[in-house]
Amino acid sequence: MIATVPTEKKPDEVPPAAAADGEEDEEMEEEGAPEAQGAGGEGKKKKKKKKPKKKSKLEQTEPPTIGLTKLFPDGNFPEGELQEYKDDNSYRTNSEEKRYDERMAMEDPEVTYNNIRRAAEVHRQVRKYARKTIRPGMRMLEIADLIENGVRNLVEENGLESGIGFPTGLSLNHCAAHYSPNSGDTIVLGEKDVLKVDIGVHVKGRICDSAFTLTFDPTYEKLLEAVKAATDTGVREAGIDVRLGELAGYIQETMESYEVEVNGKVLPVKPIENLSGHTIAPYQIHGGKSVLLVKNDDPTKMEEGEYFAIETFGSTGRGKVIEQGEVSHYARKVDAPHVPLRLTSAKALLKSINKNFGTLPWCRRYLERAGESKYLLALNHLVSQGIVQDYPPLCDVRGSMTAQFEHTILLRPTRKEVVSRGDDY
Ligand code: HZT
Ligand code: MN
Ligand code: MN
């Protein structure tokens, strides 16, 4: 007998992604141990005893292609980082009543946290690959594709049931948010660029909204550190009954405790005063509440059960953004007025938007992927009629640099869950 092919599986039992099966190789090594391959045909020594069949543990490929339901066959997706509530709410962690409320939430398919956790795990796996792959010299369109292919595969994109949560944000330098390349974009990532990578993943309308910043030049490391710390402060100070205006003050305080030296000049890190975090509702990226980054008098409180995107932006410029450049991001308004549309093309485009995206945000590339072409007139009409909202790129002054870090958190009855937390940020 010559071959030492692992025999625990019949050929038709080999999973389609066998190459990704980490333990397949391990078992090969075990059975291919030196004594089993003795030249003199003393292959008898080969372990014959069947070990209790190891569950073949599937591992993610690179680039990521394996759907998360395959990697988590029991259907339970990992919890994010847990943080206990503070002060008056510290009782919640062990409260019998709150623990009961949470069990009920988990059992209710409308409420369960499992959907957002699946979205968050997709986010972690895709960004891990994005972080190690994105390099100066790549075109913005390539970067968008590598991220979006990963999301579509891992979340097992399926109509409005699961897919991309919003267009991949790839804003550069003084632009802080809402730039994604349109088709034909020729921009190439440069060595000195500061890139905000904002990825959205949804499962049954539960959107994981999380972003990080990349630099390849150490000059702006302090800027990134400041913004990461400010977001961590926002996450740490968030809680049930916390007032949004006060939370903004803590974020501001952290951000302003940093400065960054650029070409021998010391610059303060300013929180961008007209950007904010926000609640997230099912299929609605903006649920209605906003968390500004500068102390204010908003007395609105965070509430039990809410989902928040805690995001902060720091800038070496004015600390204020304006709309600038070609629009890529759009979303049908949730409370769109009913306007009879005279333009046939606009009517048809709206139908396609409803079918493909509902109220989730999308970008021009996604429309084209859905088969639309020469849609700009119709699209502009839907915007002017108040049916579709456009989200132009948001930029500080030219020459400045901006950074962003963002996490999605759940205000569970007993604890706060930072669903999108990973080992990177
Ligand atoms: C709008 C359109 C999108 C929500 C925040 C954000 C990226 O600035 C109230 C507060 C995607 C997201 C959004 F395509 N925006 N998070 N991640 N952008 S926002 C906003 O419009 S509205 C913040
Ligand atoms: Mn975001
Ligand atoms: Mn957000």
Side-chain angles (χ1 to χ4, degrees):
M1 283 278 80
I2 316 139
T4 50
V5 174
T7 52
E8 299 213 346
K9 282 185 178 122
K10 284 176 257 155
D12 63 341
E13 284 174 336
V14 173
D21 188 336
E23 287 191 36
E24 206 74 38
D25 299 330
E26 268 175 49
E27 281 178 320
M28 284 267 234
E29 279 161 38
E30 284 168 51
E31 302 207 4
E35 72 266 27
Q37 286 176 322
E42 65 243 79
K44 295 173 193 168
K45 281 193 173 177
K46 185 176 154 190
K47 287 177 252 170
K48 265 258 168 84
K49 236 195 277 172
K50 275 198 182 170
K51 295 164 277 176
K53 188 170 173 179
K54 256 194 275 178
K55 261 205 212 128
S56 71
K57 190 110 180 106
L58 209 51
E59 275 174 36
Q60 190 50 267
T61 56
E62 211 186 295
T65 59
I66 305 179
L68 268 272
T69 62
K70 286 210 166 69
L71 295 177
F72 296 88
D74 66 0
N76 292 318
F77 298 95
E79 231 177 14
E81 179 195 58
L82 298 178
Q83 290 188 12
E84 295 196 0
Y85 293 123
K86 303 197 283 192
D87 310 322
D88 286 357
N89 274 317
S90 60
Y91 80 95
R92 285 172 167 271
T93 308
N94 297 308
S95 154
E96 204 50 56
E97 182 196 344
K98 297 300 171 190
R99 289 162 56 147
Y100 174 83
D101 292 348
E102 224 164 59
R103 277 205 308 281
M104 292 299 110
M106 213 38 207
E107 284 168 20
D108 182 347
E110 291 293 298
V111 186
T112 183
Y113 310 127
N114 214 26
N115 294 322
I116 188 72
R117 287 177 188 158
R118 179 173 151 202
E121 181 61 22
V122 168
H123 199 289
R124 278 186 290 273
Q125 294 193 13
V126 170
R127 81 196 193 216
K128 182 175 175 181
Y129 177 66
R131 272 179 174 292
K132 69 156 77 158
T133 309
I134 297 173
R135 283 282 163 265
M138 290 176 78
R139 289 177 300 118
M140 303 311 285
L141 278 167
E142 292 177 64
I143 298 173
D145 278 344
L146 82 85
I147 291 168
E148 291 162 7
N149 289 339
V151 171
R152 292 184 202 278
N153 285 328
L154 272 51
V155 81
E156 297 160 277
E157 182 171 46
N158 174 22
L160 291 175
E161 282 290 294
S162 64
I164 291 178
F166 55 79
T168 306
L170 293 173
S171 307
L172 287 170
N173 306 332
H174 66 295
C175 292
H178 299 173
Y179 162 83
S180 195
N182 288 329
S183 51
D185 189 301
T186 58
I187 296 176
V188 170
L189 185 62
E191 301 275 359
K192 296 192 167 316
D193 283 342
V194 178
L195 174 67
K196 277 68 65 180
V197 180
D198 199 337
I199 306 174
V201 185
H202 88 93
V203 172
K204 295 195 198 322
R206 296 302 182 162
I207 306 166
C208 176
D209 177 3
S210 177
F212 58 96
T213 302
L214 291 177
T215 51
F216 307 91
D217 171 342
T219 308
Y220 294 101
E221 280 170 5
K222 269 277 175 269
L223 173 66
L224 271 62
E225 201 185 306
V227 179
K228 197 183 287 194
T231 296
D232 281 346
T233 294
V235 167
R236 189 179 61 247
E237 299 302 323
I240 293 164
D241 298 327
V242 169
R243 292 189 191 278
L244 301 180
E246 289 174 27
L247 182 56
Y250 304 132
I251 290 169
Q252 175 180 17
E253 197 177 353
T254 299
M255 189 93 72
E256 290 178 347
S257 71
Y258 287 80
E259 47 194 24
V260 47
E261 191 181 319
V262 182
N263 301 327
K265 263 193 82 150
V266 176
L267 306 173
V269 178
K270 297 180 187 169
I272 298 184
E273 66 180 64
N274 56 346
L275 287 177
S276 59
H278 51 98
T279 46
I280 303 173
Y283 294 101
Q284 268 185 267
I285 188 62
H286 184 221
K289 293 183 183 178
S290 295
V291 187
L292 286 164
L293 313 182
V294 174
K295 188 176 168 63
N296 63 85
D297 293 333
D298 186 351
T300 310
K301 290 175 171 176
M302 294 179 140
E303 295 172 59
E304 181 178 305
E306 284 181 327
Y307 289 54
F308 271 88
I310 301 293
E311 62 191 297
T312 79
F313 295 84
S315 176
T316 61
R318 290 176 67 203
K320 193 169 179 174
V321 289
I322 57 163
E323 299 180 349
Q324 194 176 83
E326 186 172 85
V327 180
S328 56
H329 290 43
Y330 300 85
R332 203 200 81 205
K333 291 186 184 174
V334 174
D335 46 10
H338 184 77
V339 187
L341 290 166
R342 306 285 289 275
L343 204 59
T344 318
S345 61
K347 243 189 211 163
L349 183 63
L350 182 55
K351 244 185 107 174
S352 167
I353 290 166
N354 283 333
K355 170 171 153 258
N356 289 292
F357 315 114
T359 55
L360 291 169
W362 39 274
C363 62
R364 292 189 194 177
R365 284 181 294 111
Y366 303 171
L367 267 188
E368 290 157 17
R369 209 176 162 274
E372 297 294 328
S373 59
K374 301 185 195 150
Y375 52 78
L376 264 185
L377 177 85
L379 177 52
N380 288 333
H381 189 68
L382 293 175
V383 171
S384 71
Q385 291 301 298
I387 296 164
V388 166
Q389 178 72 53
D390 59 349
Y391 294 89
L394 299 168
C395 307
D396 202 323
V397 290
R398 227 165 244 297
S400 67
M401 287 292 181
T402 64
Q404 173 200 21
F405 283 92
E406 174 173 33
H407 277 300
T408 296
I409 68 170
L410 305 186
L411 300 179
R412 283 167 47 178
T414 66
R415 274 174 294 218
K416 176 166 48 184
E417 180 174 341
V418 189
V419 270
S420 53
R421 182 76 79 194
D423 57 19
D424 50 349
Y425 71 97

